[in-house]
Amino acid sequence: MNEPATPRKAPTVTVARDIDTGRIIARGGDGLAHGILERTFFLREVHDATWHRMSPTVLPADQAAVAQLAVARLQAAGYRVEADAECATATTQDRYVTDGRSIANLAAAIREAASPAEVSDRLEEVTAAHDGILASLDQLLHSLAAVYDRLGGPADRHVAARMRYLAEHRLGPITADLLHTRAELADRTTAPARPGTALPAAAPPSAPAATASGRIR
């Protein structure tokens, strides 16, 4: 069992089954707590206040175990959790490093960069063609469009078209701007390339060859 983190100065999180709806509901916490819940099969709802309900994709037989997992992750992060008997657990479970956290770490590295050249280098993971962050987000939007195409309802076609619109007319300009930004930052410096990226030295020009008559050509 992992040790709980230092207690957080954040609102208490409550996790319990709602009497009226029969759904397991989570309330309270801050942005980090919400992210933990959303990565543990809870869906965000915003009606006057932010709260979370367990996803209907969780089978009834698994709901208590999933709720206990969410509680364990919240407790590992230092949150005070009040849970009913069904959802309560004394254990903790450290969260894995998420893709979102990896991008946040990249953002921190950009903020702390010592030069425009270093910022430009950090942006390569964002703007790289085919498998950079923005290219992967483009693939995600088109994949969602394909899902709605297969669902086939009249409203589904509109959602599919919206996903493609976001990829082509919203994400596209962001990508173009960041590509320009990366190049502009790189052009501001004459600092040497990172180790291992130096170009090979140019070969010296070959000596002129003599013709049969002894002239140099």
Side-chain angles (χ1 to χ4, degrees), residues 10-160:
T12 298
V13 182
T14 62
V15 181
R17 190 175 294 276
D18 183 73
I19 297 175
D20 295 328
T21 65
R23 297 183 301 189
I24 295 178
I25 302 294
R27 301 183 186 276
D30 54 12
L32 176 59
H34 299 167
I36 292 172
L37 288 165
E38 288 158 23
R39 287 187 173 86
T40 320
F41 301 99
F42 279 79
L43 303 177
R44 187 191 316 176
E45 297 284 350
V46 181
H47 302 291
D48 298 326
T50 299
W51 54 282
H52 292 76
R53 59 183 173 90
M54 185 170 289
S55 172
T57 60
V58 179
L59 296 175
D62 297 330
Q63 289 178 0
V66 169
Q68 290 168 11
L69 176 60
V71 170
R73 289 177 172 178
L74 289 164
Q75 291 173 163
Y79 291 97
R80 182 168 177 267
V81 182
E82 295 179 352
D84 61 15
E86 178 186 17
C87 304
T89 178
T91 63
T92 61
Q93 178 173 318
D94 288 338
R95 296 171 297 129
Y96 58 90
V97 178
T98 65
D99 292 338
R101 174 52 57 188
S102 297
I103 296 173
N105 291 340
L106 176 59
I110 288 174
R111 284 195 303 271
E112 297 163 4
S115 68
E118 187 176 347
V119 176
S120 177
D121 288 346
R122 297 288 187 183
L123 282 174
E124 68 186 7
E125 185 61 36
V126 180
T127 61
H130 183 66
D131 60 356
I133 292 170
L134 291 171
S136 298
L137 183 54
D138 178 85
Q139 294 173 27
L140 184 147
L141 290 169
H142 280 96
S143 294
L144 283 172
V147 167
Y148 276 92
D149 281 338
R150 291 196 298 271
L151 293 174
D156 297 330
R157 290 195 293 270
H158 290 295
V159 176

